[in-house]
Amino acid sequence: MTSAPPRWDLTNVYPGLDSPVLTQDIDWVKDATESLKKLYEEELINIDETSDKQRINQAISTMVDKMNDLMIKAMTIRAFLHSYITTDSFNQQAAKMGSQFDQVMVGVQKVSVLLEAWVGQFKDILPEVLALGSSAGEHAFPIEEMAEQSQYLMSEQEEILTSELSLSGSRAWGKLQGVVTSQKTVDFELDGEIKTLPMPALINLHAHPEEDVRKRAYEAEIEAWESLKEPLAACMNGIKGWVNVLNDHRGRKDALHQPLDQARIDRETLEAMMGAMEDSFPAFRRYFKAKAARFGKKALPWWNIFAPTGKLDKEYSFEEAKNFILKNFGNFSDELRDFAKNAFEKNWIDAEQRSGKRGGAFCMSVPGVKESRILCNFDGSLDQVMTIAHELGHGYHNFNMYQAGKTPLQRQTPMTMAETASIMCETIVFNAVMDTITDPQEELALLETALIGDSQVIVDIYSRFLFEKEVFDRRQQAELSADELNEIMEDAQAKTYGDGLDPDFRHKFMWTWKPHYYSAGLSFYNFPYAFGMLFGVGLYAIYKQRGDDFISDYKKLLSSTGEAPAAELAARFGIDIRSKKFWADSLAVVAKRIDRYCEL
């Protein structure tokens, strides 16, 4: 890369951590939370299912308006503080302010619990109440969902205590995992010199063109996680134990119950999708073996899973990546291109790899300015170009909801549908590259890039699902040692990768650095990725059939992903997500890539 990738800019949100406006807004959130609590204690508590329906409608409308105002301000502050915490874990001021604001958010959560329980009592008459219109009627879906989920609440005092204890419990464990993994560095010989690499940079070497570098990076990573396995195992045990206890007390069937509700799908849908995924494993194993053969092996050691093949030696500068993405987004729609151009020009993207910055990539909404911010770890590879396109898709999704005037309560999109635009944008860029290729070796390299991603979202995601399910089940009985977690991970990889992965060189420490396992509020943060990818592939096929006529309906879908179950949203495009055939048809697209890869 000829120039350093950018860091993001949030000065239009607040000038900095010392901003008086930030302090004032934090105080405003505290006051607004207290105002909501007062509304509940002095007015709402006196309204029950026997009250006049118009009065109930007005009360719910008042609550909705206040909640939306509170959420805009609170989510903006949280995003701003998160922008510092995720990019510089050494920043003690940001860490302290984040911790202090967590306590403020506990107050918000406590009031939300009271309001959810209050709405729950109207469950049987809500259709009539919401039909009267006003803000309550405009928020019919989130209000009905709130009432439905209220049956899984403990008593008021128990829920309040849980919120308060979370700061020293589940959230503390999650923070510890983030700090430990982001601050770890490794001295590594690269290009003839010893470099001190943060863990994301070391992990990115899995895709290095030289096998010796990949192998040494794998060995260095395993050694690094070995030195940290005990505190990270404690984090895992703390969070999974916390979730299990709360699930029991809240009357949840199992650890999957809440994630399915959060994803707005049912078990029939999950089983159809997972069944189709499992059926696809033989094809993926054929790909793994074909790739292994290119390295003179029968099966892939972990360090070759992400290895490039073919002859696509181009390394992108960030400027080249930007221009490439903009050009191809423009082929889909001018609006998508213009949105991305604005994101690049306004420095919405933090792409630089550096110590103290968390690995991976994400997009976060900043509702106070109706914008998004994107974190990635850009290394010049095509894979990272695709990552930027993917995360810009999330930003475009947010853009459509903002453009449609959706409120925070209306924008609450489940993970399953949250990948809709990101997969579309990633597919647009990938297919544009494929269309320009005539050299078989370049085609091979591009197919490799695609299949690495496909295999991670289908095969590896399935292994993560199996791992997490087993951890939840065993954690009911006792704490798990780090070595037990390793065994569960390797067993999950054996069941999914099968004989395509060398049994002597799996990755037993995959559980250490994936932040998805360390969120008490988002268990099974894995299968929604597979849903999103396969749903996106299916939508792209419809786009290719309909052309520009598709875009208007697509934009309406993006703007309304927070206002209907996944099955209802999919049905707008004639998709039955409870049918195994839909998922199999999407996986057949991937199978064709595998066939072509094996031919080359």
Side-chain angles (χ1 to χ4, degrees):
M1 293 176 287
T2 57
S3 60
R7 299 187 180 193
W8 52 25
D9 179 13
L10 284 91
T11 54
N12 67 319
V13 183
Y14 297 107
L17 293 172
D18 295 323
S19 168
V21 178
L22 173 58
T23 302
Q24 291 168 12
D25 282 354
I26 292 173
D27 288 338
W28 185 94
V29 170
K30 294 176 184 176
D31 293 342
T33 303
E34 188 60 34
S35 175
L36 252 179
K37 182 182 177 185
K38 192 174 181 180
L39 173 72
Y40 169 78
E41 292 173 341
E42 297 181 0
E43 297 182 39
L44 302 186
I45 201 169
N46 298 316
I47 301 173
D48 59 26
E49 63 272 21
T50 65
S51 301
D52 177 74
K53 291 183 176 62
Q54 185 63 52
R55 186 184 179 201
I56 296 173
N57 175 279
Q58 292 173 350
I60 293 177
S61 294
T62 300
M63 178 200 76
V64 163
D65 292 340
K66 285 182 174 291
M67 284 186 71
N68 278 324
D69 290 342
L70 176 57
M71 289 171 71
I72 289 173
K73 193 75 76 176
M75 290 165 65
T76 300
I77 294 169
R78 185 167 61 183
F80 183 76
L81 295 177
H82 198 58
S83 74
Y84 282 86
I85 293 167
T86 56
T87 56
D88 184 9
S89 62
F90 298 104
N91 189 321
Q92 295 184 8
Q93 181 184 6
K96 182 177 181 180
M97 292 182 69
S99 176
Q100 291 171 337
F101 194 66
D102 280 346
Q103 295 186 48
V104 175
M105 291 304 293
V106 164
V108 176
Q109 186 177 356
K110 286 159 62 175
V111 173
S112 297
V113 167
L114 297 177
L115 297 175
E116 186 173 325
W118 176 74
V119 169
Q121 69 181 310
F122 307 118
K123 187 171 179 289
D124 293 336
I125 60 171
L126 267 181
E128 301 168 61
V129 171
L130 299 176
L132 296 173
S134 195
S135 291
E138 293 170 0
H139 293 77
F141 179 77
I143 293 300
E144 288 175 336
E145 185 176 54
M146 190 183 294
E148 177 66 27
Q149 292 304 308
S150 69
Q151 66 183 303
Y152 301 112
L153 290 175
M154 298 179 290
S155 70
E156 177 182 315
Q157 290 305 312
E158 286 173 324
E159 289 291 349
I160 290 174
L161 179 61
T162 297
S163 297
E164 293 174 345
L165 287 176
S166 68
L167 293 175
S168 303
S170 60
R171 294 189 188 188
W173 289 119
K175 281 185 179 180
L176 178 60
Q177 187 271 343
V179 170
V180 168
T181 56
S182 68
Q183 293 190 2
K184 177 65 177 177
T185 59
V186 172
D187 289 338
F188 188 81
E189 189 274 313
L190 187 63
D191 299 328
E193 61 177 296
I194 300 298
K195 298 183 179 181
T196 300
L197 300 179
M199 292 307 290
L202 183 71
I203 291 168
N204 278 349
L205 291 178
H206 288 170
H208 195 278
E210 297 178 18
E211 182 168 10
D212 173 66
V213 174
R214 295 194 301 271
K215 184 172 186 262
R216 288 190 295 108
Y218 165 81
E219 293 168 344
E221 185 191 351
I222 295 296
E223 184 178 351
W225 296 134
E226 181 70 35
S227 71
L228 298 174
K229 68 180 183 180
E230 296 304 335
L232 294 175
C235 294
M236 181 75 75
N237 277 296
I239 287 174
K240 299 312 183 193
W242 174 278
V243 174
N244 273 339
V245 169
L246 289 183
N247 282 337
D248 289 343
H249 281 269
R250 287 171 173 160
R252 293 286 184 180
K253 296 175 183 176
D254 54 25
L256 258 176
H257 188 174
Q258 185 177 16
L260 286 170
D261 284 353
Q262 288 174 326
R264 295 181 186 149
I265 64 172
D266 52 27
R267 289 178 191 259
E268 183 182 357
T269 298
L270 180 65
E271 289 168 3
M273 181 184 74
M274 299 295 271
M277 290 166 64
E278 190 172 6
D279 289 346
S280 75
F281 289 168
F284 278 103
R285 289 167 186 171
R286 189 157 51 87
Y287 155 64
F288 295 139
K289 290 177 183 178
K291 182 169 183 174
R294 298 181 192 279
F295 296 99
K297 297 180 174 66
K298 292 184 178 179
L300 285 174
W302 191 271
W303 64 78
N304 278 342
I305 285 181
F306 303 93
T309 62
K311 293 181 179 178
L312 192 67
D313 298 327
K314 179 174 176 55
E315 182 175 309
Y316 292 80
S317 68
F318 193 80
E319 185 70 16
E320 289 172 329
K322 178 188 78 172
N323 292 334
F324 184 71
I325 289 169
L326 292 179
K327 175 184 176 182
N328 292 302
F329 276 10
N331 292 332
F332 180 81
S333 76
D334 290 342
E335 182 184 76
L336 176 59
R337 180 201 58 219
D338 292 344
F339 163 79
K341 183 179 180 182
N342 186 60
F344 282 115
E345 291 180 347
K346 298 290 182 62
N347 287 330
W348 289 8
I349 303 172
D350 194 298
E352 181 189 45
Q353 298 182 89
R354 58 189 183 273
S355 181
K357 180 179 175 180
R358 296 195 182 182
F362 64 77
C363 174
M364 64 179 181
S365 177
V366 191
V369 290
K370 296 183 178 180
E371 296 174 354
S372 298
R373 291 296 186 275
I374 289 164
L375 179 143
C376 61
N377 286 273
F378 187 74
D379 62 0
S381 66
L382 177 61
D383 180 63
Q384 281 295 312
V385 176
M386 303 294 288
T387 295
I388 295 172
H390 179 101
E391 299 303 335
L392 282 168
H394 285 302
Y396 183 64
H397 194 157
N398 292 335
F399 168 80
N400 274 275
M401 288 191 282
Y402 286 135
Q403 194 178 49
K406 301 298 182 181
T407 67
L409 284 173
Q410 293 168 333
R411 292 198 303 267
Q412 293 179 328
T413 296
M415 267 287 296
T416 40
M417 302 305 295
E419 296 299 318
T420 302
S422 58
I423 296 298
M424 179 69 76
C425 287
E426 189 176 338
T427 305
I428 288 167
V429 171
F430 174 77
N431 285 347
V433 181
M434 287 295 291
D435 288 343
T436 66
I437 295 302
T438 56
D439 184 340
Q441 285 300 302
E442 290 188 349
E443 183 184 2
L444 174 63
L446 288 169
L447 282 171
E448 187 73 82
T449 297
L451 289 173
I452 286 172
D454 294 338
S455 63
Q456 285 297 291
V457 175
I458 302 303
V459 181
D460 200 67
I461 282 293
Y462 202 112
S463 75
R464 294 185 221 171
F465 176 85
L466 293 177
F467 169 83
E468 192 161 5
K469 188 175 186 306
E470 184 69 12
V471 170
F472 267 123
D473 290 345
R474 290 203 205 178
R475 187 62 185 84
Q476 287 278 24
Q477 308 303 319
E479 290 187 357
L480 290 84
S481 68
D483 290 340
E484 284 180 284
L485 293 171
N486 287 346
E487 291 169 8
I488 296 170
M489 180 57 78
E490 289 199 274
D491 182 59
Q493 289 171 355
K495 290 176 178 175
T496 50
Y497 287 89
D499 57 2
L501 188 61
D502 188 328
D504 293 328
F505 300 106
R506 299 186 183 116
H507 199 319
K508 62 185 180 182
F509 284 119
M510 278 295 287
W511 58 271
T512 57
W513 66 275
K514 289 288 183 184
H516 306 72
Y517 296 124
Y518 298 90
S519 171
L522 285 172
S523 300
F524 289 97
Y525 198 167
N526 37 57
F527 70 79
Y529 277 104
F531 185 108
M533 173 204 157
L534 296 174
F535 185 69
V537 168
L539 274 185
Y540 187 80
I542 296 172
Y543 160 63
K544 295 302 288 184
Q545 293 171 0
R546 292 179 52 186
D548 291 343
D549 290 342
F550 167 87
I551 294 176
S552 176
D553 289 339
Y554 176 65
K555 283 174 56 62
K556 290 176 183 176
L557 171 69
L558 294 181
S559 68
S560 58
T561 51
E563 298 178 278
E568 181 180 321
L569 293 169
R572 298 180 186 179
F573 292 88
I575 296 171
D576 179 7
I577 61 174
R578 296 187 180 92
S579 165
K580 191 175 180 180
K581 183 181 182 302
F582 167 70
W583 306 108
D585 287 346
S586 291
L587 283 160
V589 174
V590 180
K592 289 181 180 178
R593 293 177 185 169
I594 293 174
D595 290 340
R596 179 59 179 159
Y597 178 91
C598 293
E599 288 175 10
L600 293 171

